[in-house]
Structures are given as C-alpha cells and as structure tokens.
Amino acid sequence: MRTGDSIDIGNGKSLVFVEAQMLHWPDSMFTYLTGDAILFSNDAFGQHYASEALFNDLVAQDELWAECIKYYANILTPFSTLVTRKIDEVLGMNIPVKTIATSHGIIWRKDPLQIVEK
C-alpha cells in the first residue's frame, strides 16, 4: 500500500493508508478509518504504558504525559524531523480525527489531537 491508497470495507467506510517510514520502522504506516474518524497511528503517539482504563481521559494525566515523553525520547527522537513532516502531512489532509489508536499504549479519544500538538 502507498499513501492515499484505500480499501472500501462497506457501510460507507474505507481504510485510507498513509506511509510513515521510520516512525520507527521502515515499513511503518498509518491507517485512517473513514466514517468513524479513527487514526490508527502505529508507533506514533504511543507509550510503553498499560492501563485497564484504556483511554486518555480515564488515566492520571501526569503519568500519561510522563510515559509519552519517555516513549518519544527513547523511540522517536532519532526520527524527529520525519515525525514533524508526517504530522504536517496528516494535518494537511484536513481529515476529522475523533480517536487516535496507537499500536501500544493509551487510546486518545478525548481531544485526540492534543498528543499531536505536543
């Protein structure tokens, strides 16, 4: 798949793909679910953090942000230039984002773009 490719999954919904090489693997990719406005962000915006609460609005915010900073520093800092370009690209698509679901860590459902802005 390449950026912009999509697959119709029925009920008026599609999966739209966005290449995100080196965030943090060569084959990284974002997937956007139209209709539900969910961005599956792979390693971007994740954390090495687990909670039965699952969502950003249900966990201690200071703990969540500490985990986000630690994850970014340890995993994505070497790719910061690529991260910035990919964020600009996705925001430039002007798509609604109601949820950001990472490969691991807390799911961003309340003000999901707050992690993008950080």
Side-chain angles (χ1 to χ4, degrees):
M1 291 290 169
R2 298 275 182 217
T3 295
D5 287 352
S6 65
I7 297 174
D8 184 337
I9 60 171
N11 293 328
K13 296 180 184 181
S14 295
L15 298 173
V16 181
F17 302 97
V18 178
E19 295 170 280
Q21 292 91 349
M22 298 314 298
L23 302 185
H24 79 106
W25 299 104
D27 59 350
S28 293
M29 182 168 280
F30 295 168
T31 305
Y32 179 74
L33 176 59
T34 64
D36 292 329
I38 299 172
L39 178 65
F40 297 93
S41 65
N42 201 342
D43 288 330
F45 317 121
Q47 324 88 47
H48 291 140
Y49 180 53
S51 170
E52 63 185 19
L54 297 180
F55 299 102
N56 69 308
D57 55 318
L58 299 178
V59 298
Q61 296 302 291
D62 56 339
E63 189 172 298
L64 174 58
W65 288 116
E67 290 298 321
C68 290
I69 291 166
K70 183 169 61 175
Y71 179 84
Y72 190 89
N74 289 313
I75 303 298
L76 292 172
T77 295
F79 312 110
S80 289
T81 302
L82 298 172
V83 172
T84 302
R85 273 190 269 163
K86 191 53 54 180
I87 287 171
D88 291 343
E89 179 183 340
V90 171
L91 291 176
M93 295 170 77
N94 294 317
I95 54 175
V97 177
K98 293 181 182 174
T99 304
I100 297 176
T102 67
S103 292
H104 44 79
I106 299 301
I107 298 168
W108 300 90
R109 72 172 179 186
K110 182 177 182 190
D111 187 18
L113 293 179
Q114 67 181 301
I115 187 61
V116 175
E117 294 165 1
K118 289 275 185 190

